[in-house]
Each structure stands twice: as structure tokens, then as C-alpha cells.
Amino acid sequence: MDTKSLEYYHKLVEEKNFSKVAEFFEVSQPTITLAIKRLENEYQTKFFLRDRSHKELILTKDGK
């Protein structure tokens, strides 16, 4: 685990928007996505549910 991924995660919990988080940290959106996926793989859980039809990001129980 690296601290930058945790920073991305924390900001994503606040913003619930990958693009806004990427803009805030001045990185690409895929950078944020990959960091979150690495954390989810490390902890063997999902932190967010991505509802693409409603463009909504929902925090899971484990994500809280």
C-alpha cells in the first residue's frame, strides 16, 4: 500500500467522481482508477459500486 493511493481514495470518498479527483491531483483519470483497483485487490474487496447508467459512485460497506 502506498500513501498516494490512500490520498486518492480519501478524496474520491469526498468527491465521488474520478475525473474531479484526477483534476485535483493533476494526474490522469486512469491513474486514479488503477490506484483504487490496487487498493481493492490488496484488501480483496470492493470499496465502490460504479453505477454507469446513473453516473453514480456508491461507497460499499467495506469502503466506509
Side-chain angles (χ1 to χ4, degrees):
M1 169 184 12
D2 64 283
T3 57
K4 192 52 115 175
S5 292
L6 290 175
E7 289 178 46
Y8 295 159
Y9 169 78
H10 185 264
K11 189 68 173 173
L12 190 57
V13 169
E14 291 176 1
E15 295 289 339
K16 293 190 175 50
N17 184 295
F18 282 85
S19 297
K20 287 182 182 178
V21 173
E23 186 177 319
F24 178 84
F25 285 104
E26 298 180 344
V27 297
S28 68
Q29 184 271 329
T31 299
I32 304 300
T33 300
L34 290 173
I36 298 304
K37 284 184 181 181
R38 278 194 302 267
L39 283 174
E40 289 177 333
N41 287 337
E42 184 174 338
Y43 288 98
Q44 298 179 349
T45 192
K46 294 288 183 189
F47 297 133
F48 299 96
L49 296 176
R50 295 152 180 92
D51 183 354
R52 296 179 195 270
S53 64
H54 295 102
K55 297 184 179 178
E56 190 174 6
L57 193 63
I58 303 163
L59 200 58
T60 66
K61 179 182 172 188
D62 289 340
K64 292 178 183 177

